[in-house]
């Protein structure tokens, strides 16, 4: 492992010295300019009793009393009223609309998100869901126990706290590793709760779409206290009905067609000896050019595999299935596959039930000693539909003596045990999250403050899904199927001994599959993963004023932090034995590590208009993995209306526990020479190439202008990230392409082929490794504006990605801005995202409208076809009733619509028919909400 020392700091002392000299010259020049009347910013106020710690800290600083206006880093805040205006029922609804977020996994997608249904996450700048640090009241939260298909850890925002308990969301939009450590590469998202809420409030909301999909949320919050003690508690119940691809099909014909179905197809390696002379003649003509009775394909003489569709494929097609390609000829078929259209079986929205609870307590022991504690709990159950059974990735053999074998020779089966006419398979995703946190803080005699807090959070995540069992299926094809069959070869196909044949051939009439339910139960089993993630933290910080400069007191903060991380995956016995024919299986693993850090921060007001902020953090993961990361930021206020800010920093992210020790097999949509298939990809650390930590250079330059009346505000920021040694999971599509089109022997060695026959049809599994990619460089512009005129408010935010350049180990150099980036390690990166908000308020009435735009981008997985631009409109009306009883405010009734013009997501030629990382598939949604103070 590479060791990161203080001497590796990429912002050198020379750079810091030059910056300070520049600052001093600006400061002196302004002091001599009598025309500048900018008042000095207020000095850091004396330390106050802590009461509510997070109210004393702004995200991006540990110096108490430093406000958002005095912060030299770009900070976006979304408060409780903003959330209400959005009509959001989940935190994911807010995250999806952030222009600075791209590539998060908040829409269920069975094709690219195998395990994480029911979760949500954040992906600032498209740098990966593991590169944004998520905090709850300034404290870390455990990762979800399951990772994405790419092997990325993330904090599940769906399991944080009830939405009614959120007071504001602060988003630090540049690197923050110098203060918060690993994972803060792209920035920080800090969720603050309504800890000082007094009274009681109930919120009821119902939302429905055009296709009958419904969402109901019931939330309640209660708060009470006195001068010394205050407690707040909130609870919510969320219920969501499913929306299936049968209800709303977004894909086009052919997008969701698999070459593996039931009826299936058969690999016939030698000349058939069955009763059909047609089949024998056609087979010889098509596959046996040297007339030796063995298919040329099996001898390496031809690239055409000897595949023959099930004899009854066309009969099934006439009853709702998909015909063979090319069409079969009776009675036993010819060249081709019996395909299966699985596109109507899946969930666009899963069925979900979520219960959440949060409570916060503060207590003041004295004027100099305060205590706070919080507890949170979330339980989420999601049920996602899949095709009736997974395809069989291996090539199970059917012996020549099988009573239903029409070929008279040993053949292999390409298909699945259930398809046309069967019910969808349901996978269950059960997540339970628990969090405890407590802190103690006070004031020293010299006015400096101290804070010590600890937290423990844990996520248990269980996945259950059905798949075909390898050994049982092979036994059943050989006539030894059945729970009571001893396996004695003498009992083959003997019902008296409890031994039966599984029939892989279809019947000519419904229900087509002639196997009994007992036989189907015998050859299938429950694939189960029980995963657990834990995080324990202990943090201590001191903060105060050091000495005076021309602009005021120097603010100082310093602290230490200890973290203990643990991750465990426990698979069922069949998975441990790799006995599943598609999901395969994995070994169990259990890993943990300790992380220690020390950090410091300075706020230096050199003059009334110039402040420099500097922070530094050293973090140690053990095993020679540590990093020292600085951040230097400048805030310049030339007059009362304008402020200019700039920052330079380095960021760092260590390999996650999963990337170092975990093993994961996922299903991936792969385009092969035989067409689109779902293939298993097994990801794990590469033993020949140990992972190095990621590192990034981050820069930001921006300005904010505020009018004298505070009725207008405009902000502009240029941001840049130079991200090196990015830890990625090799893209299975890229490995496939390198093997088959690039003649890469290393890529070819990472593919398992059934029977050792190298063919797109015989791929059993693709091995992919976690690797340090060369780089990801991205930059862009954020623009924000708000204007208030009498009863009207106009707001806008825009993010334009100027570049998103990747160096991918398989795909090479990629210009990813404006691209889907499906064939590399990046994520979908439309160049432009914009939101415009117009609000109006008059006495008891208010109206909010939103226009949201996502620019077009190209689909690298489909010859750079254009994915169309997408514009939607939201509308909301609110009425506040007169107060009653002892309440200061009356009930608020809200009626609104999301995507009121019912714009479907732009079409993408892929499974599902849309890009789930960017667009919402639901269409128009309408809601009614009542907020009732008690």
């Amino acid at each position: 492992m590479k060791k990161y020392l203080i001497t590796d700091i990429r912002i050198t002392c020379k750079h810091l010295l030059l910056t300070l000299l520049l600052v001093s010259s600006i400061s002196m020049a302004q002091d001599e300019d009598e025309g500048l009347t900018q008042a000095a910013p207020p000095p850091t106020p004396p330390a106050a009793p802590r009461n509510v710690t997070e109210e004393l800290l702004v995200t991006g600083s540990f110096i108490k009393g430093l406000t958002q206006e005095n912060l030299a880093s770009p900070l976006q805040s979304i408060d409780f009223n903003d959330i209400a205006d959005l009509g959001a029922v989940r935190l994911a609804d807010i995250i999806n609309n952030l222009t600075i977020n791209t590539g998060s996994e908040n829409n269920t997608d069975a094709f690219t998100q195998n395990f994480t249904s029911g979760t949500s996450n954040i992906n600032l700048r498209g740098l990966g869901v593991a590169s944004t640090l998520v905090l709850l009241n300034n404290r870390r939260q455990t990762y979800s126990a399951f990772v994405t298909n790419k092997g990325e850890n993330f904090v599940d925002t769906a399991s944080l706290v009830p939405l009614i308990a959120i007071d504001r969301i602060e988003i630090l939009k540049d690197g923050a590793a110098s203060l918060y450590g690993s994972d803060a590469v792209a920035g920080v998202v800090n969720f603050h709760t309504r800890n000082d809420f007094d009274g009681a409030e109930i919120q009821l909301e119902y939302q429905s779409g055009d296709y009958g999909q419904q969402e109901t949320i019931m939330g309640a919050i209660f708060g009470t206290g006195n001068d010394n003690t205050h407690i707040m508690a909130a609870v919510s119940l969320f219920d969501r009905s499913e929306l299936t691809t049968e209800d709303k099909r977004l894909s086009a014909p052919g997008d969701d067609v698999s070459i593996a179905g039931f009826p299936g197809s058969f690999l016939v390696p030698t000349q058939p000896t069955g009763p059909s002379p047609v089949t024998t003649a056609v087979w010889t003509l098509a596959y046996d050019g040297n007339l030796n009775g063995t298919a040329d394909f099996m001898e390496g003489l031809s690239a055409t595999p000897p595949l023959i569709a099930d004899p009854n494929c066309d009969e099934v097609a006439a009853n709702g299935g998909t015909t063979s390609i090319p069409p079969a000829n009776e009675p036993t078929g010819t060249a081709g596959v019996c395909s299966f259209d699985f596109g109507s079986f899946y969930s666009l929205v899963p069925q979900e039930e979520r219960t959440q609870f949060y409570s916060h307590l503060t207590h003041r022991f004295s004027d100099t000693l305060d205590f706070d504690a919080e507890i949170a709990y979330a339980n989420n159950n999601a049920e996602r539909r899949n095709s009736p059974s997974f395809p069989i990735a291996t090539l199970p053999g059917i012996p020549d003596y099988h009573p239903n074998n029409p070929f008279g020779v040993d053949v292999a089966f390409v298909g699945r045990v259930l398809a046309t006419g069967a019910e969808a398979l349901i996978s269950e995703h059960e997540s339970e999250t628990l969090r405890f946190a407590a802190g103690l803080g006070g004031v020293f005699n010299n006015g400096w403050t101290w804070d010590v807090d600890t937290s423990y959070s844990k996520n248990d995540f269980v996945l259950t899904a059905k798949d075909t069992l390898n050994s049982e299926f092979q036994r059943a094809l050989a006539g030894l199927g059945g729970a009571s069959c001893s396996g004695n070869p003498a009992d083959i196909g003997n019902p008296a001994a409890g031994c039966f044949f599984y029939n892989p051939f279809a019947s000519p009439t419904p229900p087509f599959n002639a196997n009994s339910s007992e036989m189907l139960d015998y050859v299938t089993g429950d694939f189960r993963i029980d995963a657990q993630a834990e995080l324990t933290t202990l943090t201590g910080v001191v903060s105060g004023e050091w000495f005076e400069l021309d602009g005021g007191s120097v603010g100082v903060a310093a602290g230490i932090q200890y973290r203990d991380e643990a991750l465990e995956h426990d698979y069922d016995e069949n998975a441990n034995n790799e006995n599943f024919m598609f999901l395969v299986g994995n070994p169990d693993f259990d890993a943990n590590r300790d992380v220690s850090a020390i950090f410091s921060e300075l706020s230096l007001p050199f003059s009334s208009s110039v402040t420099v902020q500097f922070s530094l953090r050293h973090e140690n993961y053990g095993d020679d993995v540590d990093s020292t990361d600085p951040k230097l930021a400048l805030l310049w206020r030339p007059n009362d209306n304008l402020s200019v800010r700039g920052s330079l920093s380095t960021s760092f992210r260590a390999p996650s526990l999963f990337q170092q020790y975990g093993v994961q097999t996922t299903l991936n949509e792969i385009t092969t020479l035989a067409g689109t298939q779902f293939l298993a990809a097994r990801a794990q650390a590469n033993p020949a190439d140990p992972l190095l930590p990621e590192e990034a250079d981050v820069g930001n330059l921006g300005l904010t202008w505020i009018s004298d009346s505070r009725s207008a505000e405009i902000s502009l920021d240029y941001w840049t990230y130079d991200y090196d040694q990015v830890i990625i999971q090799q893209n299975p599509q890229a490995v496939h392409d390198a093997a088959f089109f690039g003649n890469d022997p290393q890529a070819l060695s990472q593919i398992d082929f059934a029977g050792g026959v190298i063919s797109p049809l015989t791929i059993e599994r693709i091995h992919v490794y976690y690797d340090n990619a060369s780089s990801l460089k991205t930059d862009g512009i954020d623009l924000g504006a708000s204007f208030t005129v009498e009863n009207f408010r106009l707001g806008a935010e825009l993010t334009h990605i100027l570049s998103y350049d990747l160096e991918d180990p398989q795909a090479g150099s990629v210009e990813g801005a404006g691209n889907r980036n499906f064939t590399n390690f990046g994520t979908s990166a439309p160049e432009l995202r914009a939101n415009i908000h117009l609000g109006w308020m008059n006495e008891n009435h208010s109206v909010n409208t939103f226009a949201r735009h996502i620019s077009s981008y190209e689909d690298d997985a489909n010859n750079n076809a254009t994915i169309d631009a997408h514009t939607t409109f939201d509308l909301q009306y609110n009425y506040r009733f007169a107060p009653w009883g002892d309440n200061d405010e009356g009930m608020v009734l809200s009626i609104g619509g999301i995507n009121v013009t019912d714009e479907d997501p732009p079409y993408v030629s892929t499974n599902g028919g849309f890009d789930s990382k960017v667009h919402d598939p639901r269409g128009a949604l309408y809601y009614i909400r009542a907020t009732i103070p008690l």
Side-chain angles (χ1 to χ4, degrees):
M1 286 281 186
K2 178 180 176 182
K3 187 173 179 66
Y4 290 78
L5 302 174
I6 294 178
T7 52
D8 292 327
I9 298 173
R10 291 179 295 283
I11 295 181
T12 64
C13 292
K14 178 181 177 182
H15 293 150
L16 177 58
L17 210 52
L18 289 173
T19 303
L20 293 179
L21 288 173
L22 175 61
V23 168
S24 299
S25 64
I26 294 174
S27 174
M28 289 185 291
Q30 287 188 322
D31 290 341
E32 294 171 357
D33 188 348
E34 296 180 355
L36 291 179
T37 59
Q38 166 71 24
T44 302
R50 195 169 81 155
N51 234 359
V52 185
T53 304
E54 61 271 15
E55 293 299 331
L56 302 176
L57 294 177
V58 62
T59 304
S61 177
F62 284 105
I63 298 174
K64 293 186 178 179
L66 195 68
T67 64
Q68 180 173 346
E69 290 75 17
N70 292 329
L71 192 68
S73 293
L75 186 68
Q76 180 178 350
S77 184
I78 304 169
D79 65 21
F80 180 77
N81 293 323
D82 296 329
I83 295 172
D85 293 345
L86 292 170
V89 297
R90 307 172 300 150
L91 282 176
D93 298 330
I94 303 168
I95 296 165
N96 284 342
N97 290 326
L98 294 174
T99 63
I100 57 177
N101 176 80
T102 183
S104 58
E105 299 187 354
N106 294 330
N107 297 307
T108 295
D109 185 352
F111 308 112
T112 64
Q113 302 165 33
N114 293 166
F115 302 143
T116 56
S117 291
T119 66
S120 65
N121 49 49
I122 302 170
N123 194 344
L124 297 183
R125 310 299 187 194
L127 296 180
V129 298
S131 297
T132 299
L133 178 63
V134 175
L135 302 176
L136 177 58
N137 292 327
N138 300 306
R139 295 162 175 154
R140 283 178 175 251
Q141 172 81 345
T142 185
Y143 293 126
S144 168
F146 279 161
V147 298
T148 67
N149 272 24
K150 293 182 177 182
E152 294 178 301
N153 292 107
F154 63 92
V155 171
D156 178 17
T157 58
S159 296
L160 279 178
V161 296
L163 188 61
I164 196 172
I166 297 293
D167 178 64
R168 69 188 187 280
I169 305 170
E170 292 180 341
I171 305 170
L172 189 67
K173 299 191 291 184
D174 65 354
S178 62
L179 281 179
Y180 297 104
S182 183
D183 310 329
V185 177
V188 178
V189 180
N190 194 358
F191 295 88
H192 294 270
T193 51
R194 302 167 70 185
N195 296 338
D196 58 351
F197 178 83
D198 280 309
E201 183 178 283
I202 294 176
Q203 192 171 91
L204 306 173
E205 182 162 354
Y206 172 79
Q207 179 176 284
S208 180
D210 288 344
Y211 294 86
Q213 190 268 326
Q214 302 172 5
E215 299 183 11
T216 303
I217 184 168
M218 296 180 286
I221 186 170
F222 168 81
T224 187
N226 53 37
D227 291 342
N228 294 322
T229 304
H230 187 274
I231 187 170
M232 180 272 285
V235 64
S236 70
L237 302 174
F238 175 76
D239 184 85
R240 160 184 269 193
S241 66
E242 67 178 355
L243 174 64
T244 72
T245 51
E246 182 179 14
D247 300 324
K248 184 176 183 178
R249 184 77 179 262
L250 296 170
S251 56
D255 284 342
D256 300 320
V257 172
S258 170
I259 63 172
F262 190 95
S265 307
F266 303 90
L267 188 69
V268 186
T270 58
Q271 185 180 70
T273 61
S276 171
V278 175
T279 298
T280 301
V282 171
W283 183 93
T284 301
L285 179 65
Y287 304 119
D288 189 18
N290 57 12
L291 303 178
N292 67 349
T294 299
D296 296 337
F297 173 82
M298 310 304 294
E299 302 172 296
L301 305 178
S302 169
T304 304
L307 267 182
I308 296 179
D310 187 283
N312 292 308
C313 182
D314 288 342
E315 279 74 9
V316 177
N319 287 273
T322 302
T323 189
S324 56
I325 307 172
N329 293 329
E330 299 297 347
T332 56
T334 60
V337 293
C338 192
S339 56
F340 167 56
D341 186 343
F342 55 81
S344 62
F345 289 93
Y346 283 83
S347 297
L348 289 173
V349 175
Q351 179 176 319
E352 273 187 79
E353 292 182 356
R354 181 181 302 125
T355 302
Q356 290 178 283
F357 171 80
Y358 177 80
S359 183
H360 187 275
L361 168 72
T362 58
H363 178 71
R364 172 175 291 185
F365 291 103
S366 69
D367 290 343
T368 59
L369 185 63
D370 295 292
F371 170 79
D372 82 296
E374 61 181 356
I375 181 172
Y377 173 79
N379 182 280
N380 185 49
N381 294 313
E383 295 185 354
R384 192 190 74 199
R385 289 164 49 107
N386 306 279
S387 59
S389 67
F390 295 123
I392 295 172
T394 60
L395 291 173
I398 304 168
D400 56 2
Y401 62 79
H402 193 291
N404 302 103
N405 185 346
F407 302 105
V409 295
D410 293 346
V411 297
F413 178 58
V414 178
R416 62 185 80 203
V417 298
L418 290 170
T420 302
E423 297 292 327
L425 179 150
I426 303 296
S427 59
E428 298 181 357
H429 308 253
E430 303 176 26
S431 174
E432 186 175 56
T433 305
L434 185 64
R435 172 187 173 94
F436 298 100
L440 196 65
V443 184
F444 293 110
N445 290 335
N446 62 359
W448 282 47
T449 65
W450 61 270
D451 292 275
V452 176
D453 66 58
T454 184
S455 69
Y456 171 79
S457 49
K458 173 184 176 182
N459 176 245
D460 285 302
F461 210 138
V462 178
L463 167 71
T464 307
K466 288 190 176 298
D467 192 15
T468 308
L469 297 171
N470 186 24
S471 59
E472 284 78 358
F473 192 65
Q474 296 281 11
R475 283 164 52 100
L477 287 175
L480 297 172
S484 61
C485 182
S486 66
N488 188 333
D491 293 331
I492 290 175
N494 180 7
C499 300
F500 302 90
F501 280 97
Y502 176 87
N503 183 5
F505 298 91
S507 302
T509 58
F512 308 118
N513 193 324
N515 295 285
S516 66
S517 58
E518 290 79 11
M519 176 58 71
L520 292 173
D521 288 341
Y522 173 72
V523 300
T524 58
D526 285 332
F527 176 87
R528 179 184 171 93
I529 312 173
D530 191 341
Q532 184 179 103
E534 294 180 276
L535 174 67
T536 303
T537 69
L538 178 64
T539 306
V541 180
V542 295
S543 174
E545 298 175 357
W546 190 4
F547 58 89
E548 294 293 320
L549 290 176
D550 290 346
S553 299
V554 173
V556 181
I560 58 174
Q561 186 177 79
Y562 167 82
R563 304 197 304 271
D564 180 74
E565 303 174 358
L567 180 64
E568 177 183 357
H569 279 200
D570 182 13
Y571 290 81
D572 67 273
E573 183 178 357
N574 279 309
N576 285 154
N577 295 328
E578 298 191 358
N579 194 35
F580 290 103
M581 302 196 78
F582 189 62
L583 297 173
V584 188
N586 292 301
D588 299 337
F589 73 90
D590 186 353
N592 70 284
R593 67 183 174 196
D594 298 330
V595 183
S596 59
I598 184 170
F599 54 91
S600 61
E601 179 186 3
L602 287 173
S603 179
L604 303 163
F606 282 97
S607 75
S608 60
S609 57
V610 176
T611 301
V612 171
Q613 292 161 359
F614 179 75
S615 54
L616 183 70
R617 183 179 178 114
H618 180 76
E619 194 156 276
N620 190 300
Y621 281 73
D623 296 328
D624 291 334
V625 178
D626 64 340
S627 179
T628 302
D629 291 284
K631 182 173 182 177
L632 182 66
L634 169 69
L635 180 65
W636 174 40
R637 288 177 168 170
N639 56 51
D640 291 337
N641 307 103
L642 181 65
S643 62
V644 180
R645 58 185 170 270
S647 64
L648 292 172
S649 64
T650 68
S651 284
F652 155 84
R653 193 176 78 85
S656 70
L657 287 174
F658 189 87
Q659 290 167 335
Q660 290 180 302
Y661 305 107
V663 180
Q664 175 171 269
T665 301
T666 59
L667 318 179
N668 292 264
E669 175 193 352
I670 305 295
T671 301
T672 73
L673 291 170
T676 298
Q677 304 180 59
F678 262 93
L679 298 175
R682 167 168 285 183
Q684 59 189 337
N686 187 348
D689 190 12
L691 292 174
L692 301 174
E694 302 172 338
E695 54 187 30
D697 294 327
V698 184
N700 191 90
L701 181 63
L703 59 85
T704 297
W705 176 85
I706 303 177
S707 67
D708 291 334
S709 63
R710 317 293 289 185
S711 62
E713 179 177 342
I714 298 174
S715 65
L716 178 67
D717 284 277
Y718 168 78
W719 46 267
T720 176
Y721 294 80
D722 189 348
Y723 206 0
D724 289 322
Q725 297 179 177
V726 182
I727 298 172
I728 68 162
Q729 177 185 291
Q730 292 176 331
N731 187 300
Q733 180 73 62
V735 172
H736 169 276
D737 294 349
F740 282 91
F741 305 126
N743 298 316
D744 184 343
Q746 172 58 40
L748 191 64
S749 72
Q750 292 178 223
I751 302 177
D752 293 340
F753 296 95
V757 178
I758 299 176
S759 164
L761 285 171
T762 60
I763 296 175
E764 290 185 330
R765 180 167 55 193
I766 300 176
H767 293 270
V768 293
Y769 298 115
Y770 297 112
D771 198 1
N772 290 99
S774 298
S775 68
L776 192 167
K777 298 180 180 180
T778 181
D779 69 339
I781 294 172
D782 292 338
L783 175 64
S786 65
F787 305 92
T788 301
V789 179
E790 294 182 350
N791 296 336
F792 290 90
R793 182 185 175 191
L794 176 65
E797 58 179 6
L798 174 150
T799 296
H800 181 60
I801 300 175
L802 299 175
S803 69
Y804 188 83
D805 298 333
L806 310 101
E807 290 292 334
D808 188 287
Q810 283 79 43
S813 297
V814 178
E815 294 182 1
N819 207 300
R820 185 180 170 210
N821 295 310
F822 189 80
T823 60
N824 57 65
F825 74 85
T827 191
S828 299
E831 291 182 324
L832 180 65
R833 295 181 68 124
N835 296 330
I836 299 175
H837 168 228
L838 177 62
W840 170 83
M841 179 180 291
N842 185 15
E843 297 181 347
N844 295 348
H845 306 273
S846 65
V847 175
N848 293 292
T849 61
F850 292 88
R852 310 188 189 281
H853 177 76
I854 301 173
S855 65
S856 64
Y857 54 111
E858 295 182 345
D859 184 3
D860 57 321
N862 290 287
N863 299 314
N864 292 324
T866 298
I867 301 173
D868 292 337
H870 190 52
T871 302
T872 61
F873 299 92
D874 301 347
L875 180 64
Q876 180 192 79
Y877 167 75
N878 304 286
Y879 181 80
R880 182 179 295 276
F881 292 85
W884 65 81
D886 297 330
N887 296 308
D888 294 330
E889 296 183 350
M891 182 183 79
V892 177
L893 182 66
S894 304
I895 300 174
I898 299 170
N899 186 9
V900 293
T901 57
D902 196 18
E903 301 294 327
D904 281 337
Y907 169 72
V908 179
S909 181
T910 188
N911 293 139
F914 76 107
D915 187 352
S916 63
K917 306 298 184 294
V918 177
H919 299 110
D920 190 325
R922 294 175 294 173
L925 303 168
Y926 303 97
Y927 63 89
I928 181 170
R929 179 179 65 227
T931 304
I932 308 168
L934 301 177

